[in-house]
């Protein structure tokens, strides 16, 4: 498998995953083949990753890799979960700042010991659109939710995600360190093992 299509229009994600995959596999953007994004109708990270990979394989004719990721907060029963990118949408707001503000609000007054969370990444690789056995690899990055934002790096919930082992937030971690330890890095390591890369 020398070439894969990535089921994402996000150039940052393409660059990050290409760096993790290495030079043996060329990752191409779905944007080269289609501007249509499939509707994420799944109720889990796994279902949505497979939906996206299947669509990318259909429109490109290439094996396809999809990533579905987000934040699961223990106190909230795993929310925002698959809705992480649009957590504040029910309040008519969107974007990282709105999502972070809502998370801080719903966790207000919750003691530190109950603020456990994990970043979740599921990678799904489909060799063709009707692949009955997609490769599915999961990465979980454990942390807890701070009561205020810290740090300038990263995106999404990174400024609120405290990493005990590094004694800093994900947004204070150097990007090269994040790319070695993150949920996406853990899932990619597993995928590379399974592909023999």
């Amino acid at each position: 498998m020398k070439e894969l299509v990535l089921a994402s229009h996000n150039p940052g994600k393409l660059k990050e995953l290409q760096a993790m995959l290495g030079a043996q596999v060329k990752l191409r953007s779905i944007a080269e083949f289609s501007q249509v994004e499939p509707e994420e109708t799944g109720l889990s990270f796994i279902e949505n990753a497979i939906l996206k990979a299947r669509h990318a394989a259909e429109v490109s004719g290439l094996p396809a890799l999809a990533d579905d990721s987000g934040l699961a907060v223990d106190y909230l029963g795993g929310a925002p979960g698959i809705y992480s990118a649009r957590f504040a949408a029910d309040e008519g707001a969107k974007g990282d700042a709105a999502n972070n503000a809502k998370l801080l609000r719903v966790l207000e007054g919750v003691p530190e010991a109950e603020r456990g969370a994990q970043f979740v990444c599921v990678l799904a690789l489909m060799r063709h659109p009707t692949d009955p056995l997609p490769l599915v690899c999961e990465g979980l990055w454990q942390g807890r939710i701070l009561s205020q934002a810290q740090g300038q790096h990263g995106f999404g919930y990174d400024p609120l995600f405290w990493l005990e082992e590094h004694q800093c937030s994900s947004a204070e971690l150097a990007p090269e360190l994040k790319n070695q330890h993150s949920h996406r890095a853990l899932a990619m390591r597993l995928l590379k093992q399974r592909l023999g890369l």
Side-chain angles (χ1 to χ4, degrees):
M1 213 174 294
K2 296 285 179 239
E3 223 174 36
L4 289 175
V5 63
L6 178 65
S8 172
H9 288 88
N10 181 333
K13 193 177 276 190
L14 179 73
K15 188 178 174 185
E16 188 177 303
L17 287 170
Q18 180 67 73
M20 289 178 190
L21 261 175
Q24 292 167 280
V25 178
K26 178 173 171 44
L27 209 49
R28 294 173 65 180
S29 170
I30 186 70
E32 292 180 43
F33 305 95
S34 169
Q35 292 306 313
V36 177
E37 301 236 2
E39 203 176 329
E40 293 182 32
T41 54
L43 296 178
S44 68
F45 291 109
I46 291 175
E47 289 173 285
N48 283 335
I50 289 173
L51 275 170
K52 291 190 278 190
R54 179 171 289 127
H55 173 261
E58 278 171 357
V59 299
S60 70
L62 290 169
L65 178 66
D67 154 299
D68 202 55
S69 40
L71 179 71
V73 180
D74 300 342
Y75 185 81
L76 302 177
I82 59 170
Y83 307 107
S84 293
R86 47 193 189 278
F87 189 41
D90 62 335
E91 299 173 351
K94 61 181 178 183
D96 291 350
N99 291 335
N100 283 323
K102 179 176 178 180
L103 184 60
L104 288 175
R105 214 167 38 255
V106 298
L107 291 179
E108 201 173 325
V110 174
E112 198 175 290
E114 294 175 41
R115 297 172 79 98
Q118 45 273 314
F119 272 129
V120 179
C121 171
V122 171
L123 292 175
L125 176 67
M126 296 194 74
R127 290 162 280 253
H128 52 82
T130 56
D131 189 344
L133 195 62
L135 277 181
V136 177
C137 299
E138 179 188 275
L140 297 178
W141 200 19
Q142 303 295 334
R144 70 177 161 78
I145 304 303
L146 292 164
S147 48
Q148 62 183 44
Q150 285 181 210
Q152 304 301 317
H153 297 297
F155 57 91
Y157 297 95
D158 284 344
L160 295 180
F161 194 72
W162 179 258
L163 301 161
E164 202 58 48
E165 72 270 28
H166 297 286
Q167 287 295 296
C168 67
S169 78
S170 177
E172 293 172 301
L173 209 56
E176 55 277 8
L177 259 181
K178 183 186 174 190
N179 284 349
Q180 290 170 21
H181 299 283
S182 74
H183 50 310
R184 202 165 280 128
L186 296 169
M188 181 57 83
R189 202 167 297 145
L190 200 54
L191 182 69
K192 286 173 75 172
Q193 280 172 11
R194 292 182 65 184
L195 289 174
L197 294 175

